[in-house]
Amino acid sequence: VGRLWDAARSGRLPHALLFEGRAGIGKFLAARYLAAGMLCARGPADPCGACGPCRRLASGGERGNHPDLLLIDEDLAGEEQIRIARITPRPEDPNYVPELCLEVFLALHPMEGKLRVVIVREAQRMNAAAQSALLKTLEEPRSGTLLVLETDRTAALLPTILSRCVRIRFDPLSRAQCEQVLRAEGVPEEAARRLARIAEGSPGRAQELARNGTLAVLEGISAAARGLRPALEVAAELWEIEGEFTGRTEGMRARERARAILDAVLALARDAWRLAAGAREDDLALGPLARPVAERSTAHELARRGRFLAAARADVERNLQPTHLVERALLVLAEGVLPAAAGVRSGTSPGFVAGREVR
Ligand SMILES: [Zn+2]
């Protein structure tokens, strides 16, 4: 950010930047901090915190309350798209709000000083029409404007958008830095240490894992994977673990929880496979938990189970019953019991055939 302010002071700051890197590592915060330093009356530099623009930015919570800064970060919970009416005027669209529209905003003169800044958070959520509309703005940049796109999925953006942005790559934090952030947020020491490890350098991801109860989930599934507890008993208990899940309906929240559980199962299986294939325990997010799982099996067998777990994870999006998917995943992880094909289910068996693949 300091180097970008340097560039701005010598008139070399590009009109469009892309902040790219893993989710939860501070790209949006950095974009906001960059904007604050650009809008500060004493900038471009570290925001002084005392001038009018700095005070207005600090007054409105995370969104700030500054007439020259527009954040496009609505509807972050769930999988809402950023639609074309947020990018270009669409008076016939009932969701169109001129004050929230990127083109309208950038066309106005700065209210306070020199610059209008737009930050598009999770820019990968722009649908195709919105991206095409944004391209027009990128092709004809106005002076006195700065556009910062933030994304953890660069591949979801049009190549023509990428080629018109200066791309800035963000790396994850170290385990120690991540732990420090978590402790500053009030996470107890032991939990911070374990979360920092499994979140692989992303404090945002670690906070999400803390919210959805992943530490307790991992304890349950690793006990099942080591044969210490019956898989189906653990599968039932996972639904009782305290956790926050987003979604408008009960069904959506259940699917969200199933995603989190299956992600944890997959991560454990993946690290067990890596260990069995010769990886160092210390390099792996779930190394200590995965070790006993790896010791009960071969790399080949773990890879085979991993394929079925990945399929179960994908089935969450196909509206299969979440409790059934979690049971299936636990049985596969713990016992290598594989699901029968649809239509072969019978009797009281939940549709599994021990030890062999059924197509
Ligand atoms: Zn200031």
Side-chain angles (χ1 to χ4, degrees), residues 24-302:
I25 59 175
K27 301 183 301 298
F28 177 72
L29 290 176
R32 244 197 124 272
Y33 196 61
L34 171 71
M38 293 296 297
L39 296 169
C40 171
R42 295 173 202 175
D46 269 300
C48 73
C51 70
C54 280
R55 284 206 305 275
R56 269 185 288 289
L57 266 182
S59 69
E62 197 194 50
R63 303 194 57 76
N65 186 17
H66 191 295
D68 292 329
L69 175 63
L70 176 67
L71 302 181
I72 299 191
D73 69 342
E74 245 67 8
D75 313 309
L76 273 181
E79 287 138 64
E80 298 289 335
Q81 293 181 335
I82 298 174
R83 295 174 197 283
I84 189 167
R86 290 304 305 272
I87 306 296
T88 197
R90 276 285 182 278
E92 70 283 5
D93 186 331
N95 296 318
Y96 171 62
V97 182
E99 298 76 51
L100 297 178
C101 174
L102 177 141
E103 267 181 35
V104 172
F105 180 85
L106 287 180
L108 298 170
H109 287 293
M111 306 281 279
E112 296 234 348
K114 45 216 167 170
L115 192 68
R116 303 280 273 176
V117 185
V118 178
I119 300 172
V120 183
R121 188 175 198 175
E122 298 187 7
Q124 73 275 1
R125 291 176 310 129
M126 284 189 290
N127 63 21
Q131 291 198 36
S132 301
L134 181 69
L135 202 52
K136 209 176 104 219
T137 297
L138 289 169
E139 280 166 347
E140 299 156 17
R142 290 162 189 273
S143 64
T145 65
L146 172 64
L147 174 65
V148 186
L149 306 178
E150 180 269 322
T151 189
D152 67 338
R153 268 193 287 136
T154 305
L157 297 173
L158 292 175
T160 38
I161 286 185
L162 301 181
S163 68
R164 284 173 177 82
C165 294
V166 170
R167 293 165 66 170
I168 298 177
R169 174 90 209 155
F170 282 64
D171 289 326
L173 283 68
S174 69
R175 247 178 231 171
Q177 288 168 327
C178 190
E179 195 179 324
Q180 204 182 339
V181 173
L182 294 172
R183 284 168 63 181
E185 299 277 337
V187 178
E189 200 164 328
E190 170 64 12
R193 195 178 56 74
R194 294 175 63 197
L195 287 166
R197 177 166 185 143
I198 59 179
E200 300 184 274
S202 167
R205 173 81 181 133
Q207 282 158 333
E208 187 189 346
L209 295 173
R211 276 195 303 276
N212 67 23
T214 288
L215 288 181
V217 167
L218 278 170
E219 241 159 67
I221 60 180
S222 85
R226 293 150 72 182
L228 303 178
R229 301 207 38 220
L232 290 180
E233 196 178 295
V234 170
E237 283 173 15
L238 294 178
W239 295 90
E240 309 302 323
I241 290 171
E242 211 172 301
E244 285 172 32
F245 298 92
T246 56
R248 285 190 305 279
T249 64
E250 186 79 21
M252 285 166 84
R253 287 191 292 276
R255 263 208 304 288
E256 191 61 30
R257 185 190 280 268
R259 286 189 191 99
I261 293 172
L262 292 174
D263 281 345
V265 173
L266 258 178
L268 186 66
R270 199 175 52 224
D271 278 1
W273 171 76
R274 286 173 176 153
L275 284 172
R280 273 166 22 104
E281 186 176 310
D282 198 48
D283 292 339
L284 300 176
L286 299 178
L289 273 179
R291 171 65 67 194
V293 183
E295 279 166 358
R296 298 179 78 221
S297 213
T298 62
H300 178 79
E301 170 62 18
L302 289 165

